[in-house]
Every structure is written in structure tokens, then in C-alpha cells.
Amino acid sequence: MPVRLDWKKLFLNTSDASGASGSSTASADSSSNRSPRRPPVILLAGVLAMALVVGGVLLVRQHSGADFRLAGASAGGVVNASAVGKGGLEVTAPEGEGLHGAEVTVDGKRVPVTTTGRHLTVGLDGLRDGTHELKVATEGSVLGGSELTRELKVDTTPPKLAVADTEGRSLRGPVTVKGRAQDAAEVTVAGRTARVGKDGAFAVTLPRPPARATAVATDEAGNTAREDAVITVRRPTMRAVHVSGQAWASDQLRKPVLKLLKEHKINAVQLDIKDELGEISYDSKVPLAKKIGAAKGYYDAKKAIKEIHAAGGAVVGRIVAFRDPVLASASWKDGHRDRVVRTPDGGPYGAGSKYGSLSFTNFANKDVRQYHLDLAAEAAKLGFDDILYDYIRRPDGKLSSMSFPGLGKTSPEDSIAGLVARTRAVAREHGAFLGVSVFGVAVTRPKEIAQDIGKFAKQCDYIAPMVYPSHWAEGEYGVSDPNSHPYPITKKSLADFVKKTRHTDAQIVPWLQDFSLGVSYGDAEVAAQIRAAEDDGIHSFLLWNPAVRYHGGALKPMK
């Protein structure tokens, strides 16, 4: 409350400060038993006036709401959800005033405050939407206290926001995101300001489609609503063959692949970026690749992409991720041992395995993850149409026999899926699709090598299951000898992948076997797998032959 002063000791004369008609200066009270009148305190239009007489002169000290600064409310006195639920309102007193001991009320009820010098924070937790009155009364100097009276309108209701999922035509062209935001003053989508109609409808055209575009609607009070629009750009049908970096440099192996392209039997070439040895087939400029000597320059990336495009094909860049002896060995030697999968006693994992020690890098290490993000970004910028991960997994074996420094409480499945999500954003930014190669057994055994198909399907454009008949054990899916029966094992295994990804936008592009292992494979065996995939509704495929020699007779020209 404003301070009450002992007017007997301070003043002999008083004056009517009300300005009433006919008032005049009062003579001094000659009676020693009569007390002088207190100067009246008058609140006019939010102004507190304190009238004092000193030496027969009328002094008036006024403090209005304008003397105070109020942070946390708009210029119109509107308080939003952020101020109510978090910071509250901050009141700053005029110069020379302190706020210690101030009494603060909202609608006549005292509220909790925190005071520091001239600053006072008013807690507004639980305050309902509507109009309220805030009062801050201070104990000031001998000339009187100050009072702020402010009407506050509490508005914590965000705009109603709805964004439509969108399907784009191309990763390298524009896409328009549409939606409706009722009661919004401003809408942005992926950071771009939208045009908002009177009915709240809005539209934003983005130069390239991200995997997800976040829409943010803000009302006049500053309340916000957020919603993600999923932007789908379906990868066109892919019929591709695998080509290693050294094979592309060979006329004997490259020309038959280009012939298949020109005959329209395939429409894409899977060209290695980084292979199982950890070698990068072109002259990569990624700093870590150059430092560890991984960039070999077997082919000119821009020239190869141009040649394949000219022949009518897309270029799928394969990046073998965590099987990487080059990075593992260099990191161990240089003292960056957390980049490598370790044994529980701290040694390098893999001794005695088919891969050998120092063969697998640690998917949880930030340097290893950034290395692959950098390679994906570089390849997409060079013009690769797709980035296709391989060995995007932990090593085979018991999890208890491995250590992944930096993993913490995150599961291997979540950690690897997280890198896939980040890579997709990088690839999409530069106009490339992202695929993920996985084991055939991963669809039913996601923890066996940390490949969770359900999680991957939400973070990539397509899943590429390796369902080679020669790699299935006898009896899998009820097929006694899978290698000798390519049609049933392919059809039954791929049906599980279709079922697992049914409610996602991920497509299935299987790796099919075009090599002999135990059973001789020719046109008929390759064609049987293609037919099995088609009978599951899958019309895309990638053929694998490590020798890069393919059975063109199994392939029909595309229409």
C-alpha cells in the first residue's frame, strides 16, 4: 500500500488538491488540539497523485502506469501461454524506485512475486483466460509510493492448425504445402512465411521438398501451434545392377552395363561410393577421407554420373557404412579408439570373426556418424540420384561381447535409425533419395544386428532387403532348400517386408541374386526372383553380382 506519512511533523498548511470549484488556500490552524488534514490520494485515469505542502507551496508527485515497464505482455496488455505457464510478468520500477516489499494483487488477491532491486516477477500460474486487473503498490520515498494498475487480457489458447500431408513430383523441384490456421496472425512453413487468407487457409511453396516440413501458426497474443507435414516423393520404379568402383573403371565391365541401360532392361546403376574395404571410389574431398587415405579415385564421379544420365539411367551411390577397415585401422593407430567397436575389456572387436579385428567402426561415435553424413552430402551435391546405405548395422554376434563407446542408454536400433533420419535430411536437401540395405532376417529379428525395419521405414525412402536364396537356411519360411527354389523363398520373405512397412511411405526395393553359390544361377533363376517380387506388388529391384556380370536374358525391356 502507498506509504502513510506523519503529516503533523511535516506540514503546517494543506491545500485542497481536488480542484473543486470555490476552493481556496486554508489559513493555518490556530488550535493546538486540531490535527492537520492528510493530503488526499486521488487515482485519476490510472494516475496516483500525492499532494503535499512544503513552505506554503503545493507539490504534487504523480506515478502512472507509464512510469513502469511491463515485460511479458503485448502492447495491448495481452498475456499468452508462455507468460502464464513459465516466466510470468516482469515489472520494472521507475528510476530511483525500489520494488522490495511491494504488494502485488491480481483481481484483488495477492500473488507470489520474486523481487530483485527495481525488477519484480509476477507469477501467473493457473490464471484462466479472460480479463484480469493487476496492481503493484510500492512503498516509495518520503514523497510517496507508486502504484501500477493494469488491465490484463489472458489468452493462452493457440491457433487451430491443420497441415495436409503432401506428395511432391520431384526431389529437385518445388512443392507446395497447404493447410488451415484459424485465429493465426502469422504462419510459417519450414521457416518461410505463408500467405494466410481470411478463412485461415494458407499455402507455401518450398524450393525443394524436405522429408518433413514444420508449420508454425502464431496468434496476436504470441501463442503458437506446431504441426509437421509429411512430404512424400515416391522413388520411381528402379531396376538396377551393382557396379563396384574399380569395375566402372574397366571398359570390359562398364560397357555391358551401359548396353543394358540403352536396351531399357535396367534404368539405374548402383555405383559404389565407399565399399567393404572402406575405400572411396572417387576423389572425395571430405577431410577425414583425405586424412586417412580412403579416397582412391578409381573413377571420376561427375563424368560417370553424366555418362549414366546420358544413357537414360539414374545413379544410386552405395555407401558401406560401419564395415570400414580403413577408418577403423587409422582411428586405432591415431588414438581415436572410441571410433571402433570394442570388446568389453577395451580391445578391438572382431578377432577370430570372418571380418577380422578393426573391421567395424562404432555407429555411436559422433566422428563416425559425421563422416557418413559428409559423404552423403558430398555425393548428393555431385549429382548422385540416390544414397544407398549398406552395412548400416552392428557386427554379427552376441551384444554382450561388444562395446560401443558413447552409446549410453540408447539402444543400438534407435541409434542407427537416428543416423538414417539425419542422413535422409541431408540427402533430401540436395535432391537425393535415401535407401537402406538390410538383412532378410531383420524383418523378424530386428535386434540380431540392430536393424529395426519398422523404425527404418519411417526414416528413409526405401528399404532394400537382401533376400538372396543362397543366404537362407534350410526350412526358412517352410522352404526346404531355398537356394534351389528362388521363387517361393523370395516371395515369402518379401511378403513380410511389405506387411511391416504397410503403414509407412517407404518402398521395398529388394536385392536379388545374380550369382552362383552352391547352385548355378542363370536367366531362369534370376527371372524367378523378379517374378516373385512382382507377385508381392514390388516392381523395383537391385541385382547383385560381385563380379559385375549380369544375365540380360532375365530382364524384359521396360515400357
Side-chain angles (χ1 to χ4, degrees):
M1 293 291 293
V3 65
R4 294 182 181 274
L5 301 178
D6 187 344
W7 301 103
K8 290 182 180 181
K9 296 180 180 179
L10 291 177
F11 306 108
L12 295 177
N13 298 316
T14 61
S15 175
D16 183 358
S18 66
S21 177
S23 63
S24 60
T25 304
S27 59
D29 185 38
S30 59
S31 172
S32 60
N33 296 322
R34 187 178 179 185
S35 300
R37 289 183 295 171
R38 289 181 183 170
V41 178
I42 302 167
L43 186 63
L44 294 175
V47 177
L48 183 68
M50 182 69 73
L52 311 176
V53 175
V54 180
V57 179
L58 175 66
L59 301 179
V60 179
R61 184 171 183 200
Q62 302 184 70
H63 293 289
S64 71
D67 293 324
F68 289 87
R69 289 204 306 268
L70 192 64
S74 69
V78 180
V79 180
N80 62 23
S82 178
V84 170
K86 297 179 182 178
L89 290 173
E90 184 180 274
V91 179
T92 301
E95 193 70 38
E97 294 267 357
L99 287 171
H100 182 72
E103 180 179 282
V104 182
T105 61
V106 174
D107 299 335
K109 297 180 181 180
R110 297 192 68 165
V111 294
V113 297
T114 304
T115 307
T116 307
R118 294 170 55 218
H119 303 283
L120 180 148
T121 302
V122 183
L124 300 176
D125 290 351
L127 201 61
R128 296 182 178 181
D129 284 13
T131 302
H132 303 271
E133 183 182 68
L134 168 70
K135 284 188 178 182
V136 180
T138 69
E139 294 180 354
S141 66
V142 294
L143 294 180
S146 303
E147 183 175 284
L148 165 71
T149 300
R150 173 67 69 86
E151 183 181 273
L152 298 176
K153 181 180 179 182
V154 175
D155 179 1
T156 62
T157 304
K160 294 181 180 179
L161 175 63
V163 187
D165 289 341
T166 304
E167 184 161 346
R169 295 182 178 180
S170 168
L171 287 182
R172 300 184 187 274
V175 64
T176 299
V177 179
K178 298 180 180 180
R180 189 177 299 276
Q182 294 181 12
D183 304 321
E186 181 184 69
V187 176
T188 62
V189 178
R192 290 177 174 260
T193 301
R195 302 183 304 275
V196 184
K198 292 182 179 179
D199 60 351
F202 65 86
V204 178
T205 298
L206 305 176
R208 284 184 176 178
R212 283 178 173 80
T214 301
V216 180
T218 307
D219 63 17
E220 293 288 356
N223 298 302
T224 60
R226 295 172 179 268
E227 185 174 327
D228 284 346
V230 176
I231 301 178
T232 303
V233 182
R234 297 189 177 278
R235 207 255 176 242
T237 299
M238 180 200 301
R239 294 162 62 102
V241 298
H242 158 73
V243 181
S244 66
Q246 293 189 35
W248 186 259
S250 164
D251 288 347
Q252 187 178 3
L253 298 175
R254 182 181 69 257
K255 288 182 177 180
V257 170
L258 290 172
K259 184 173 183 291
L260 290 175
L261 271 176
K262 293 172 182 177
E263 292 173 346
H264 304 293
K265 291 187 173 183
I266 61 174
N267 66 355
V269 174
Q270 180 270 287
L271 187 58
D272 277 358
I273 293 173
K274 179 161 74 79
D275 61 19
E276 293 86 345
L277 298 176
E279 295 182 345
I280 299 172
S281 295
Y282 62 80
D283 186 19
S284 173
K285 299 299 187 291
V286 171
L288 184 55
K290 296 179 73 66
K291 182 177 180 180
I292 64 178
K296 300 301 181 182
Y298 296 132
Y299 65 82
D300 182 312
K302 289 186 177 180
K303 183 178 178 181
I305 291 168
K306 184 177 180 181
E307 187 173 10
I308 294 169
H309 283 172
V315 191
V316 180
R318 173 173 170 259
I319 298 178
V320 174
F322 304 126
R323 182 182 173 186
D324 192 334
V326 172
L327 179 59
S329 298
S331 297
W332 194 266
K333 180 180 178 181
D334 293 343
H336 298 291
R337 298 188 172 186
D338 283 356
R339 294 177 181 169
V340 178
V341 177
R342 310 277 284 278
T343 58
D345 62 5
Y349 177 84
S353 73
K354 62 182 178 181
Y355 301 111
S357 62
L358 293 175
S359 56
F360 272 85
T361 56
N362 175 16
F363 58 80
N365 179 266
K366 64 179 183 179
D367 295 337
V368 173
R369 295 167 78 92
Q370 190 61 51
Y371 183 41
H372 293 94
L373 291 170
D374 291 344
L375 286 174
E378 179 182 64
K381 288 178 184 177
L382 284 168
F384 282 88
D385 300 286
D386 295 48
I387 303 299
L388 176 59
Y389 270 141
D390 203 348
Y391 284 87
I392 185 80
R393 63 178 179 87
R394 71 170 178 84
D396 317 49
K398 294 181 178 179
L399 192 58
S400 60
S401 66
M402 307 170 196
S403 173
F404 307 100
L407 181 60
K409 295 182 179 180
T410 306
S411 70
E413 295 77 33
D414 283 343
S415 178
I416 293 172
L419 177 61
V420 171
R422 290 185 63 191
T423 306
R424 189 189 196 191
V426 168
R428 183 69 68 94
E429 180 182 354
H430 302 292
F433 291 101
L434 177 67
V436 180
S437 301
V438 298
F439 274 14
V441 298
V443 71
T444 55
R445 284 158 266 184
K447 294 187 177 182
E448 189 162 302
I449 52 170
Q451 289 185 333
D452 189 309
I453 304 307
K455 291 176 180 177
F456 280 173
K458 296 176 183 177
Q459 309 296 355
C460 66
D461 296 299
Y462 57 93
I463 305 285
M466 295 175 283
V467 291
Y468 311 132
S470 62
H471 285 41
W472 290 103
E474 293 182 0
E476 286 276 5
Y477 287 100
V479 181
S480 58
D481 183 5
N483 201 13
S484 298
H485 298 87
Y487 178 88
I489 190 63
T490 301
K491 186 176 187 303
K492 290 183 177 183
S493 60
L494 286 179
D496 266 355
F497 280 91
V498 172
K499 182 179 179 180
K500 191 70 175 179
T501 59
R502 181 168 295 153
H503 299 296
T504 73
D505 293 318
Q507 298 170 266
I508 304 299
V509 183
W511 282 104
L512 304 180
Q513 179 174 332
D514 196 353
F515 59 89
S516 299
L517 183 64
V519 173
S520 179
Y521 267 50
D523 289 347
E525 289 73 19
V526 174
Q529 295 171 78
I530 295 172
R531 188 171 69 256
E534 289 176 342
D535 289 346
D536 277 330
I538 301 168
H539 300 282
S540 294
F541 59 80
L542 292 140
L543 296 183
W544 177 269
N545 185 325
V548 193
R549 297 180 185 276
Y550 295 96
H551 289 91
L555 305 175
K556 298 179 181 179
M558 299 179 69
K559 296 181 180 179

